[in-house]
Amino acid sequence: MHKLRIVSGLEAIRALENLGFRKVRQRRSHVVLRKDTVEGSMGCTVPLHKELKIGTLRGILRQAKVDPVDFLLHL
């Protein structure tokens, strides 16, 4: 398992957009992202915090089915 580093919510959104996700909606400080694939639709919710805790980021990546290595490459 690779070491994730602390990133902001905006940095996480940018990296996920580079991986093919798009913004679907935003409600206050949470942005919902979605990606349509052959297997189906995947989505995740990213809070717009100054710093995302590692556990929160790991949960976002698990929900989006994104490998942490790919995520770190697209930061």
Side-chain angles (χ1 to χ4, degrees), residues 11-64:
E11 289 174 319
I13 290 170
R14 242 181 273 126
L16 289 168
E17 284 178 334
N18 289 338
L19 288 164
F21 286 82
R22 60 183 167 79
K23 291 181 187 177
V24 176
R25 68 178 187 269
Q26 178 176 349
R27 185 162 185 185
R28 297 188 186 104
S29 66
H30 287 74
V31 177
V32 176
L33 302 169
R34 183 150 322 276
K35 179 179 180 180
D36 296 320
T37 63
V38 178
E39 295 87 30
S41 170
M42 292 181 280
C44 63
T45 304
V46 180
L48 292 176
H49 296 166
K50 213 182 273 188
E51 291 183 348
L52 294 177
K53 292 183 178 181
I54 300 298
T56 303
L57 180 57
R58 193 171 308 283
I60 291 168
L61 296 180
R62 190 176 311 118
Q63 186 180 21

